[in-house]
Amino acid sequence: MSEKINGIIKPKRSFKEQVIENALIVVIILMVIYTAFSAKNFISFNNLKNILANVSVRFIIALGISGPLIIRGTDLSAGRIVGITSVVTAIFLQRSDAPGVMYPNIAGSPIIVALLAALAVGLLFGAINGLIISRLNVPPFIATLGTQIAIYGLNMMLSQNAPIGSLNQTFTRFGAQGVKIGGLQIPYLSFVAIVAGIVMYILYRYTVYGKQMYAIGGNEVAAEVSGVNTGKSKLMIYCLAGTLYAVAGFLLTAKTGSSAVTAGTGYELEAIAAATIGGVSTAGGVGRVPGILIGVLVFELLKTCLQFLGITPEMTNVFQGIVIVAAVSLDIRKTMRKK
């Protein structure tokens, strides 16, 4: 049996193979159904609002990390860039009359100034990652591991290892409130995530940037021979990733109403797992924005289900680790099957 996809005849996958390749999604859907029947308040407007808010921030991070993954790279510094941009946002938006204000000279700045500062910091670290990888030819894993550690150290100094609260109330209301439709409140954060998703969808699907990104991920040597400036493209991809992490850091601060050096910890692994579940291949050249959204939603539902089922935070980490390994294993299986 065979099927024709984009003019190419490929062996038709059996139902069993399709279930195996999407095993994680199937298992998590079954877990959602089980949790819905066994846990109180799982099916509620308040829980749905929380899920939407969490998915919104993580979707933007996953969008950022999808570019490096599609070109066969990675970005282990994503969570730390989210963290430091969150702290920068909090420093600028801490109320000047708050007790123990951390940086009195810049506290009480306008929201737009805080946003621009966070974007500048995210762009800076994205550019550093891009330059190290594209100019110095350092493998992405090592390059972003190094910047991850360095950014964490910088963030410890910047935040003085202390939580930053008492933020601009208009800003925190933006993170906590949303548009009410009947009993459901759709967070404002979700609208920002929708706009980011639409922009990235257009960028990936209809622009030279997207075509060159997929070409590099498919075969970097062939892309270079065909005229793609791979170094410039990689730099742009990491710059865009850093900027998206900054948007996520800004929104994360609005959502939590405070920040600390631990903000964003582990988010890079969640984003990699979610993107991989959503079809972004670690082998490069494959990945779509709708799939990334599904992957983020599925991963967030997994965490929410475990929480409602009374699983301890320690065991939740164990389950998340297993899911990350399983997601990458299934992706490798798909890649091997195509070869």
Side-chain angles (χ1 to χ4, degrees):
M1 295 290 288
S2 61
E3 57 185 344
K4 194 173 184 180
I5 300 174
N6 295 331
I8 301 171
I9 297 175
K10 295 184 176 181
K12 191 172 183 178
R13 293 179 298 169
S14 67
F15 177 74
K16 182 182 174 185
E17 287 174 330
Q18 291 187 45
V19 170
I20 291 173
E21 290 183 359
N22 295 287
L24 276 176
I25 294 177
V26 173
V27 168
I28 292 171
I29 288 174
L30 291 175
M31 184 182 287
V32 169
I33 295 171
Y34 174 76
T35 309
F37 282 102
S38 60
K40 284 183 180 178
N41 299 324
F42 180 75
I43 303 295
S44 67
F45 287 128
N46 188 49
N47 189 36
L48 185 55
K49 174 198 155 195
N50 290 334
I51 291 173
L52 286 175
N54 290 336
V55 165
S56 300
V57 174
R58 285 162 175 77
F59 177 49
I60 294 172
I61 300 170
L63 285 174
I65 216 163
S66 66
L69 289 175
I70 289 171
I71 59 169
R72 300 191 186 196
T74 191
D75 192 348
L76 298 181
S77 67
R80 293 305 179 194
I81 297 178
V82 171
I84 198 167
T85 52
S86 171
V87 165
V88 167
T89 301
I91 287 171
F92 275 85
L93 293 179
Q94 194 171 33
R95 294 198 301 276
S96 54
D97 58 350
V101 62
M102 192 169 284
Y103 293 93
N105 293 333
I106 55 176
S109 298
I111 294 174
I112 186 67
V113 173
L115 174 60
L116 292 175
L119 291 175
V121 171
L123 177 62
L124 172 66
F125 286 117
I128 290 172
N129 279 335
L131 287 170
I132 293 172
I133 292 164
S134 64
R135 306 301 179 199
L136 303 181
N137 295 316
V138 176
F141 180 88
I142 302 298
T144 57
L145 178 62
T147 52
Q148 179 202 63
I149 297 168
I151 292 167
Y152 185 55
L154 290 171
N155 204 7
M156 290 171 77
M157 291 187 280
L158 185 66
S159 67
Q160 302 171 18
N161 283 323
I164 307 170
S166 303
L167 306 185
N168 182 313
Q169 292 181 343
T170 303
F171 176 67
T172 53
R173 277 198 296 272
F174 172 78
Q177 297 179 355
V179 176
K180 280 200 171 183
I181 301 177
L184 173 64
Q185 178 175 293
I186 300 176
Y188 292 130
L189 306 182
S190 298
F191 294 99
V192 179
I194 290 169
V195 172
I198 292 171
V199 170
M200 294 301 288
Y201 179 82
I202 294 170
L203 196 64
Y204 280 11
R205 191 170 175 85
Y206 298 109
T207 68
V208 174
Y209 171 95
K211 289 174 183 172
Q212 292 184 345
M213 180 180 70
Y214 287 113
I216 293 171
N219 188 324
E220 184 172 343
V221 175
E224 197 159 357
V225 169
S226 65
V228 176
N229 186 334
T230 56
K232 181 182 174 185
S233 293
K234 287 181 181 178
L235 177 60
M236 290 173 64
I237 287 166
Y238 278 93
C239 284
L240 179 59
T243 306
L244 286 167
Y245 305 149
V247 173
F250 182 81
L251 297 180
L252 180 65
T253 311
K255 175 174 167 287
T256 58
S258 63
S259 187
V261 70
T262 53
T265 301
Y267 280 23
E268 65 280 355
L269 294 180
E270 288 187 15
I272 290 171
T276 307
I277 292 170
V280 177
S281 175
T282 53
V286 178
R288 296 287 183 270
V289 171
I292 296 168
L293 177 59
I294 292 171
V296 173
L297 184 59
V298 165
F299 199 78
E300 188 60 33
L301 283 172
L302 166 72
K303 290 192 299 179
T304 307
C305 287
L306 292 174
Q307 194 177 27
F308 271 81
L309 291 173
I311 306 298
T312 62
E314 294 81 2
M315 281 307 297
T316 299
N317 284 335
V318 172
F319 280 114
Q320 287 183 32
I322 292 171
V323 168
I324 291 169
V325 173
V328 175
S329 300
L330 289 169
D331 173 59
I332 291 171
R333 185 181 184 280
K334 280 185 201 173
T335 305
M336 296 297 291
R337 184 177 170 277
K338 287 175 184 173
K339 292 178 180 176

